[in-house]
Structure formats: structure tokens, C-alpha cells
Amino acid sequence: MKIIATLMIAAALVSAPFVAVAQDASTATTAATEAGVSAKTNYGSLISSLNSGKMADVKTFTSASTVKCVNVSTLKGDAAGDAAALDNALTKSATLVIELKTAINANADLKAKLDTATCPIEKIVAVTTEADGSYTVYVDDRT
């Protein structure tokens, strides 16, 4: 009987740290989710979106959709160091960006919201969809 009790206590002690780790990971995930777009607004995520060719399907944007414009100049990261990588990604993705702008111009709901938000379509370089279904539009406002 003592052996079984000892094994049960040992098992409980061994599993306790994992429960704490799981709780910490859950808290971190919640914090990242609550941070939303701001957690992802960095040069790396924009460059990755461009290089992978993964853009939001702007055809699905409706008048009920929400959009946030993010200026490249406000992205987190090393602006001087990451600028060359961003320029390379934009060069490689030039056709994708042109197609994106064409799709934006064809969607009256999105176009109206972008005009309202003073998000110039000619300077848009990427559009991503967030976990909550909203759209993030990246505007290259660098001079």
C-alpha cells in the first residue's frame, strides 16, 4: 500500500511542473492574441508575407469587415538594416503587389474603407488577415 501511495505522490510531483508550464504557455498565447496586430507588425512578418506570396484574399472583404492600416515606418525592427531586405522582397514580389492593388481597386467596400482611413492604394505593399478576421494593410510610407 505504501508503494502505491509513494508512486502516486511521485507521479503528482513529476506532472506538477508540466501543468505550470502549460498554464504559462496559455497565458503567453492569450497575451499575444490580445496584443493582436501590434504583436506581428514588424519587418520580419511583412518580409515573410511578401516572400511567401501569402496575402489576404481581399475579394472576401465586405462592408462589415474591419481594416487597419500600418505604415512601414512604424514597424518594429531595425529600419536601416531591414530596409534592404524589405526592398528585395518587394522587388521579388512586384507582380504580386500589382495584382493585390488591382484586387483592392475591384473591391468597392475595401476601397471605400481605405480611402476613409487615408490608406493610399498606390503605396500598399501587403494585406494580411488576422485571427479575428480583420485585415491589416501595410503601406510603404518610406521616402
Side-chain angles (χ1 to χ4, degrees):
M1 197 64 133
K2 285 185 179 182
I3 293 175
I4 293 173
T6 303
L7 289 174
M8 290 176 69
I9 291 171
L13 289 174
V14 169
S15 65
F18 295 111
V19 172
V21 170
Q23 290 171 344
D24 291 343
S26 173
T27 302
T29 301
T30 302
T33 302
E34 287 172 0
V37 175
S38 63
K40 297 185 217 173
T41 54
N42 60 57
Y43 278 94
S45 63
L46 174 57
I47 292 166
S48 177
S49 291
L50 288 165
N51 285 334
S52 69
K54 293 184 180 176
M55 296 284 171
D57 181 5
V58 297
K59 292 179 226 156
T60 62
F61 190 94
T62 67
S63 61
S65 301
T66 57
V67 63
K68 176 182 178 182
C69 290
V70 175
N71 289 325
V72 168
S73 64
T74 65
L75 295 176
K76 295 175 184 172
D78 176 19
D82 292 330
L86 177 57
D87 289 337
N88 286 337
L90 287 169
T91 299
K92 290 178 186 175
S93 303
T95 302
L96 178 68
V97 173
I98 290 168
E99 291 169 353
L100 177 66
K101 291 175 186 178
T102 300
I104 290 169
N105 278 312
N107 185 318
D109 291 327
L110 177 54
K111 190 174 176 183
K113 287 204 178 184
L114 292 176
D115 292 343
T116 301
T118 62
C119 225
I121 295 171
E122 69 275 2
K123 293 191 175 226
I124 292 174
V125 293
V127 178
T128 58
T129 308
E130 304 307 320
D132 64 359
S134 67
Y135 294 78
T136 300
V137 175
Y138 292 88
V139 178
D140 192 352
D141 63 332
R142 301 174 297 162
T143 54

